[in-house]
Amino acid sequence: MSDLQNLLQHRILVLDGAMGTMLQRYNFSEEDFRGERFKDYPSSLKGNNDLLSLTQPQAIADIHRQYFEAGADIVETNTFSGTTIAMADYNMEHLVYELNFESAKIAKQIADEFTKANPEKSRFVAGSIGPTNKTASLSPDVNKPEFRAITFDELRIAYKQQVEALIDGGVDLLLVETIFDTLNAKAALFAIEEVKEDRNIDIPIMVSGTITDASGRTLSGQTVEAFLMSVSHIPLLSVGFNCALGADQLQPYLQRLSNETEFYTSAHPNAGLPNAFGEYEQTAKEMNVLIEEYLKDGLINIIGGCCGTTPEHIKLIADTAKNYKPRRVNVLA
């Protein structure tokens, strides 16, 4: 924690870009997702990107390498769907520990390579903890508003397993991201605190929510300020926003967040908004111009990219971030 806090006092740190966008470039087939180990698996596996850490580890390592080469200080593990809840879609709940452990190991190995090559620029690995495909606050059935597809305790247990595996695999920090329901996030944070207490360790935690539309609220209805209040009981490294919106649409919400919090702030927006085919067309140059407005206004301590972003986007952002001072934060001793 102290290493990261020291760096954040002096410069803006750069997070990587999208993993999924990069994996799409490989155009992996069902057979590629299966590999030799899962060639006879009864479920369809195409689309299970987390599984590629086991069946195509070289591709995952290469993507991490490209982001570090582009100037990223922190890369995220390939574990966005790494819970028993999300893996139930592929009948792979039993693989969750291994998926997280191996994903963390791959990312850490590449991070260590880069740190060793240039000890003056330490590289870090953030364990990516996604929101799952269930929501604890809302009913999936409009005819049964009281119904919940999952409980807080089920989320807590699933997240705890993921967190333990990520830490065992060597991550430097944990990123609870793309939060559309803060109750899910609170379960993840509760699980992290349990693991910290069980193991008598401290590990930095980043929290990143998602503003889902022009109303400026999360899917579960919270404003920026309510979201911040809901997670501020935990000693966080940073709080921020990612996904759903492009850099220009996200800026006013980052401004409000920056005004209200004493935590460091982060952002990893999408490369604009998707077109009719779900593709992100905003170029690295176009996105960089918008990101630079964050930096000019002193809103940000950690900056990266989400859907549609690539090493090309991150390189321009990293080069631009060098020219600006980070948002000032009064760190309590």
Side-chain angles (χ1 to χ4, degrees):
M1 176 77 90
S2 58
D3 288 350
L4 277 166
Q5 284 187 330
N6 185 45
L7 283 172
L8 285 163
Q9 281 285 295
H10 295 97
R11 66 183 179 87
I12 296 167
L13 294 189
V14 177
L15 194 65
D16 61 2
M19 173 63 74
T21 299
M22 293 299 289
L23 286 171
Q24 284 171 11
R25 293 181 171 186
Y26 287 84
N27 200 24
F28 285 133
S29 65
E30 176 72 30
E31 289 68 33
D32 295 324
F33 273 88
R34 288 174 175 273
E36 188 61 29
R37 178 174 168 185
F38 302 102
K39 67 178 183 180
D40 298 322
Y41 207 77
S43 305
S44 173
L45 300 180
K46 189 173 181 180
N48 186 355
N49 285 351
D50 294 32
L51 181 62
L52 295 171
S53 293
L54 302 184
T55 57
Q56 303 290 340
Q58 193 56 53
I60 304 302
D62 286 345
I63 291 167
H64 290 320
R65 190 174 283 112
Q66 288 178 60
Y67 279 124
F68 279 136
E69 285 170 349
D73 298 287
I74 305 166
V75 298
E76 301 170 52
T77 54
N78 179 39
T79 54
F80 186 79
S81 300
T83 57
T84 50
I85 298 159
M87 280 296 139
D89 285 354
Y90 301 97
N91 298 307
M92 285 193 151
E93 297 95 323
H94 62 290
L95 286 174
V96 160
Y97 183 91
E98 184 183 1
L99 287 169
N100 284 278
F101 179 81
E102 291 300 328
S103 294
K105 223 168 87 173
I106 292 166
K108 187 61 176 171
Q109 183 180 340
I110 304 302
D112 287 347
E113 276 177 27
F114 276 81
T115 300
K116 190 175 178 182
N118 181 9
E120 303 207 347
K121 184 177 169 70
S122 296
R123 309 299 181 111
F124 301 93
V125 174
S128 172
I129 299 171
T132 82
N133 48 9
K134 302 273 177 76
T135 167
S137 291
L138 303 168
S139 172
D141 186 346
V142 292
N143 298 312
K144 291 184 179 177
E146 77 286 359
F147 175 71
R148 295 293 180 271
I150 196 150
T151 67
F152 182 91
D153 214 41
E154 286 168 335
L155 284 162
R156 177 191 64 81
I157 291 164
Y159 279 129
K160 188 171 184 180
Q161 184 182 13
Q162 181 177 28
V163 168
E164 287 174 333
L166 288 169
I167 292 172
D168 289 347
V171 300
D172 303 295
L173 62 155
L174 296 167
L175 170 56
V176 182
E177 64 170 315
T178 322
I179 298 163
F180 60 81
D181 179 353
T182 313
L183 192 55
N184 287 38
K186 287 165 88 78
L189 294 170
F190 193 98
I192 293 168
E193 291 302 304
E194 278 192 316
V195 175
K196 284 165 61 176
E197 190 173 332
D198 290 348
R199 299 187 177 204
N200 194 25
I201 59 169
D202 195 13
I203 186 165
I205 306 165
M206 294 175 66
V207 161
S208 185
T210 293
I211 300 295
T212 52
D213 57 36
S215 70
R217 294 172 182 264
T218 64
L219 188 67
S220 55
Q222 286 186 314
T223 61
V224 170
E225 294 78 11
F227 165 72
L228 178 63
M229 187 70 72
S230 295
V231 296
S232 292
H233 61 293
I234 299 286
L236 303 174
L237 177 72
S238 69
V239 64
F241 292 116
N242 73 290
C243 206
L245 301 176
D248 49 348
Q249 294 92 357
L250 194 58
Q251 185 167 0
Y253 308 118
L254 283 173
Q255 181 75 63
R256 284 163 57 184
L257 184 74
S258 177
N259 291 343
E260 292 293 329
T261 186
E262 286 299 306
F263 297 132
Y264 293 107
T265 53
S266 74
H268 51 298
N270 292 345
L273 296 174
N275 63 21
F277 303 102
E279 297 163 340
Y280 294 86
E281 298 176 323
Q282 194 169 73
T283 66
K285 283 186 179 178
E286 289 166 345
M287 185 174 182
N288 187 54
V289 169
L290 300 170
I291 293 290
E292 192 165 10
E293 292 302 312
Y294 298 0
L295 311 182
K296 287 177 182 174
D297 291 346
L299 302 182
I300 286 296
N301 301 103
I302 303 170
I303 188 70
C306 204
C307 304
T309 58
T310 65
E312 290 82 4
H313 291 78
I314 298 305
K315 183 176 190 327
L316 279 186
I317 290 169
D319 289 345
T320 302
K322 291 174 188 171
N323 303 321
Y324 291 90
K325 292 189 182 303
R327 171 179 166 272
R328 297 308 303 161
V329 174
N330 297 317
V331 177
L332 299 176

